[in-house]
Amino acid sequence: MTEQQAIEALHALPRLPRSGASLERMQALLDHLGNPEKQFKCIHIAGTNGKGTLAAMTSSILTHAGYKTGLTISPYVLNFRERFQINGQMMSPRTLASLTRKVLDAADAIIAEGGEGPVEFEAVTAIAFLWFARQKCDFAVVETGLGGRYDATNVIPAPEVCVVANIGLEHTAILGDTVEKIAAEKCGIIKHGSHAVLFGQSEGVENVAREKCAQEDVALTITAQEKLERISSSLDGQEFKYRGRGPYHLRLLGEYQLLNALTVIDVCNALRSHGWDKLTDEAIDEGLSHAQWPGRLELLRRGPDFIVDGAHNPQCVDALMDSLAALYGDKKLIFLTGVLRDKDWQQMLRRALPLAKAFVVITPPSARALDENELAAWLNAQGVQAVPAKDTDDGVRRALELAGEDDAICSWGSLYFTGEVRRVLTEQ
């Protein structure tokens, strides 16, 4: 089996289970593989916005502290193997092929015994756990795929720390139609024997987390944004203190990344309280200053500035626009984007209009996409220049043609779209 054959075989698995939400399929698969999930310590991360960044920052800090650290994320930006990393290095193509074969063989055995085979995300998660166990990782930083309570990753024993990132309305048909209902699903990762850390947010969400922690007899830390001391912020990064400690240096841009960093520091403080004493302030600073997360307010070039971001819902777009306003002040930006018709696209674009010099718009590769000409017409009716482009390559070209050397361009949309923009820019 080659790398490409492995990826195709995984994509050929069902996306959704026949039998509904359950951890039984995932547990059966791991039982057939020798229960690799029991062979390393975990940091488990759920949430709506920011969980990937939290995972990347936490992994970087643990690695710089000297712990062998696995990382599994969902989705990826450019390369499927981004989903499997140890100490910042992706799994090799050969390893992906061999472990995929092993997981698929286990799935075949389950089906032959009359059981239900895994869906794609369950198989991908099993590959990650098997690799981390074989490589004898000290830690695995594990990002949930969807929800928390019935997410495939939630078969792990009690993590060292359970982390709940910022909660917003998403997948409401599955998770619930209020942030409190969604928070209850996300907080399903909190288990007795862990320490919980919550990104500070609405009182309703915080109360859900408190109730769950009381049920599980788990200590809870809520990020204290009032204890943040900002020192400096520029396109080169951010410097700050938190809870009277620091200064810390963060390469990632944006106010929301700074707030995510506070959550990660609280994770490290929780680990230190449990005896993981290599997590010094120096290791935390080193890990934050080296943390990378492609496609999140990522500055890819200068003259003109070209920033890419994976904002794809109103909450993300609000955070992105706040960050751009902080970085560029009154300067208007050129936006490159495309939207899905069934998303709240008008709300997202209205949030961007005050910062817009012009838009370049494409039709995303989806049956649910809003046509670029229809989107351009709507934007022009709002009084902002909008240029339709036939695809991502054409969109990047047109945005660069509109921009002068002192302008700034920001591409935003799905992570798939963001990955395509990164590809076009890096190939030029």
Side-chain angles (χ1 to χ4, degrees), residues 303-344:
D305 292 354
F306 204 124
I307 290 174
V308 295
D309 190 86
H312 62 284
N313 61 39
Q315 191 177 17
C316 289
V317 174
D318 282 346
L320 172 61
M321 296 306 149
D322 288 343
S323 297
L324 292 173
L327 287 169
Y328 289 104
D330 295 332
K331 177 185 280 191
K332 303 288 189 180
L333 288 87
I334 297 166
F335 290 121
L336 170 61
T337 192
V339 298
L340 300 180
R341 187 181 295 276
D342 59 356
K343 293 283 188 177
D344 196 354

Side-chain angles (χ1 to χ4, degrees), residues 95 104 113 144 161 167 179 253 324 328-330 338 353 389 403 418 424:
T95 300
L104 293 178
E113 294 165 3
T144 60
V161 184
I167 302 292
V179 290
L253 305 177
L324 292 173
Y328 289 104
D330 295 332
L353 286 172
T418 300
V424 174

Side-chain angles (χ1 to χ4, degrees), residues 204-281:
V205 170
E206 292 182 3
N207 286 339
V208 170
R210 289 190 181 97
E211 183 177 343
K212 178 65 174 177
C213 288
Q215 292 173 356
E216 299 290 336
D217 191 24
V218 165
L220 172 65
T221 300
I222 299 177
T223 301
Q225 297 179 14
E226 71 277 6
K227 295 184 179 179
L228 164 65
E229 180 185 341
R230 298 170 178 82
I231 298 173
S232 65
S233 178
S234 71
L235 288 170
D236 296 318
Q238 308 184 71
E239 185 177 6
F240 66 99
K241 291 184 178 180
Y242 181 51
R243 298 190 187 274
R245 306 179 78 153
Y248 302 108
H249 301 82
L250 182 65
R251 178 187 299 181
L252 301 175
L253 305 177
E255 175 75 6
Y256 62 95
Q257 301 293 38
L258 185 58
L259 299 181
N260 284 331
L262 307 188
T263 307
V264 172
I265 292 171
D266 282 337
V267 170
C268 294
N269 289 337
L271 287 169
R272 286 197 285 204
S273 72
H274 288 227
W276 298 96
D277 53 10
K278 289 197 284 186
L279 286 164
T280 62
D281 282 345

Side-chain angles (χ1 to χ4, degrees), residues 60 202 250 283 393-394 408 415 417:
S60 180
S202 72
L250 182 65
D393 293 71
D394 188 42
L415 281 182
F417 173 60

Side-chain angles (χ1 to χ4, degrees), residues 46-233:
T48 305
N49 298 313
K51 63 181 185 289
T53 306
L54 293 176
M57 290 183 190
T58 303
S59 172
S60 180
I61 291 170
L62 290 170
T63 298
H64 282 87
Y67 297 111
K68 190 171 188 179
T69 306
L71 171 65
T72 179
I73 59 171
S74 174
Y76 64 94
V77 179
L78 289 175
N79 190 309
F80 185 83
R81 289 182 289 111
E82 291 172 29
R83 302 181 75 160
F84 320 97
Q85 301 178 41
I86 293 178
N87 288 357
Q89 300 299 309
M90 289 190 295
M91 177 186 286
S92 72
R94 179 177 293 182
T95 300
L96 174 60
S98 66
L99 293 184
T100 298
R101 181 72 275 158
K102 187 170 183 63
V103 168
L104 293 178
D105 287 345
D108 289 341
I110 290 171
I111 294 169
E113 294 165 3
E116 183 180 0
V119 298
E120 179 181 355
F121 183 71
E122 291 166 344
V124 168
T125 301
I127 291 168
F129 288 175
L130 194 57
W131 189 44
F132 300 156
R134 288 188 172 188
Q135 293 297 311
K136 295 180 168 42
C137 287
D138 300 307
F139 280 101
V141 180
V142 178
E143 178 188 348
T144 60
L146 173 64
R149 183 163 58 120
Y150 291 119
D151 188 78
T153 61
N154 205 28
V155 294
I156 58 177
E160 292 294 288
V161 184
C162 306
V163 191
V164 180
N166 200 13
I167 302 292
L169 292 173
E170 64 159 2
H171 305 293
T172 52
I174 300 172
L175 302 179
D177 56 3
T178 68
V179 290
E180 289 80 11
K181 290 178 181 177
I182 293 173
E185 291 296 319
K186 308 283 189 181
C187 288
I189 68 169
I190 297 172
K191 299 183 178 77
H192 179 72
S194 300
H195 188 122
V197 174
L198 175 70
F199 181 99
Q201 48 198 290
S202 72
E203 182 178 359
V205 170
E206 292 182 3
N207 286 339
V208 170
R210 289 190 181 97
E211 183 177 343
K212 178 65 174 177
C213 288
Q215 292 173 356
E216 299 290 336
D217 191 24
V218 165
L220 172 65
T221 300
I222 299 177
T223 301
Q225 297 179 14
E226 71 277 6
K227 295 184 179 179
L228 164 65
E229 180 185 341
R230 298 170 178 82
I231 298 173
S232 65
S233 178

